[in-house]
Amino acid sequence: MQTGKTPKRGLFITFEGADGCGKTTQIELLKEYLDKKNIANILTREPGGSDLGVHLRKILLHYENPVSNAAETFLYLADRAQHIEYKIKPALKEGKIVLCDRHTDSTLAYQGYGREQNLDEIKHLNKIATQGLVPDLTIVFDVETEVAQKRLQGEKDRLEAEGIEFHRKLRKGYLDIAENEPERVKIVNANQNIERVFQDTIKVVEEILNV
Ligand code: TMP
């Protein structure tokens, strides 16, 4: 059970960016920062933030036979629907800060811009999966595609293994998303070292945290 101060209402913060952008390191640092301040929070992720999602994540990242674009999109959406209902909404209701590693904008960037699926349709499907819940803040960790690709080491999963062109398209997607929704979506320059990126992240988070 989580202890500690709880903000008046929960806050939903999502971390986004291309593979190799460093967002997972940053979200873990933010969790440590909140824990130190005794602010109630949970760290979760998509895909794989719910029990069902753990199974879906394995399929999404490691299934070896062809997966159609629509099937891929629906699997991410199924993961999200389950995650929202059983983990994110309850935590927000308890007044916690929910830190989520990837969410709706990943589907827009990867399946929309990357796989060239219809953006409006994806937005509509996202709305169904989330029951209309929108993050209070989304941080996009923007990094040069070549830099991000170099950071990826070891065996690559299904999406990481897509070529550089795919990753260029989804980076553009994230930049478009940030431009279209400047109130919700903030860009952090993730070409810098871990400490500098974290300083920039904290600046953005503190603006909505009120601590
Ligand atoms: P992760 O490795 O950052 O946890 O993300 C898993 C992979 O899934 C990553 O390559 C991005 C991809 N992804 C999508 O293509 N669409 C989505 O909606 C989500 C949440 C992730």
Side-chain angles (χ1 to χ4, degrees), residues 19 23-24 45-47 57 61 72 76 79-80 101-104 106-108 110-111 157 159-160:
D19 299 290
K23 67 182 167 39
T24 304
R45 69 174 176 180
E46 291 182 9
R57 182 177 175 95
L61 301 190
E72 182 178 279
Y76 279 113
D79 168 77
R80 182 158 307 131
D101 190 340
R102 296 196 180 281
H103 188 59
T104 43
S106 283
T107 316
L108 211 51
Y110 280 75
Q111 282 65 52
D157 67 39
L159 280 293
E160 285 169 351

Side-chain angles (χ1 to χ4, degrees), residues 10-159:
L11 270 184
F12 186 22
I13 305 178
T14 59
F15 277 42
E16 294 279 0
D19 299 290
C21 71
K23 67 182 167 39
T24 304
T25 305
Q26 295 298 324
I27 205 169
E28 284 166 0
L29 289 172
L30 181 58
K31 177 166 179 47
E32 270 176 37
Y33 170 92
L34 294 176
D35 287 346
K36 275 194 197 134
K37 288 191 177 290
N38 216 17
I39 297 172
N41 70 86
I42 64 161
L43 168 52
T44 188
R45 69 174 176 180
E46 291 182 9
S50 65
D51 285 347
L52 174 62
V54 170
H55 298 285
L56 295 174
R57 182 177 175 95
K58 279 189 202 138
I59 298 169
L60 278 160
L61 301 190
H62 303 294
Y63 188 68
E64 284 173 0
N65 294 318
V67 180
S68 80
N69 285 338
E72 182 178 279
T73 300
F74 282 119
L75 285 167
Y76 279 113
L77 289 159
D79 168 77
R80 182 158 307 131
Q82 191 78 357
H83 194 207
I84 280 277
E85 175 72 18
Y86 293 109
K87 194 156 178 185
I88 295 177
K89 275 178 58 178
L92 290 173
K93 220 170 164 186
E94 289 170 20
K96 290 178 181 160
I97 294 182
V98 175
L99 304 175
C100 190
D101 190 340
R102 296 196 180 281
H103 188 59
T104 43
D105 299 305
S106 283
T107 316
L108 211 51
Y110 280 75
Q111 282 65 52
Y113 287 83
R115 301 274 194 230
E116 300 184 5
Q117 301 295 285
N118 184 290
L119 298 179
D120 287 333
E121 282 174 8
I122 289 184
K123 283 183 197 166
H124 179 64
L125 293 169
N126 263 334
K127 203 166 172 185
I128 295 172
T130 59
Q131 303 172 29
L133 186 75
V134 177
D136 297 290
L137 169 68
T138 296
I139 307 176
V140 168
F141 293 85
D142 180 55
V143 62
E144 299 287 338
T145 303
E146 289 74 11
V147 175
Q149 292 287 294
K150 274 195 204 123
R151 286 182 187 165
L152 295 175
Q153 286 166 356
E155 209 173 305
K156 292 182 176 170
D157 67 39
R158 237 172 36 82
L159 280 293

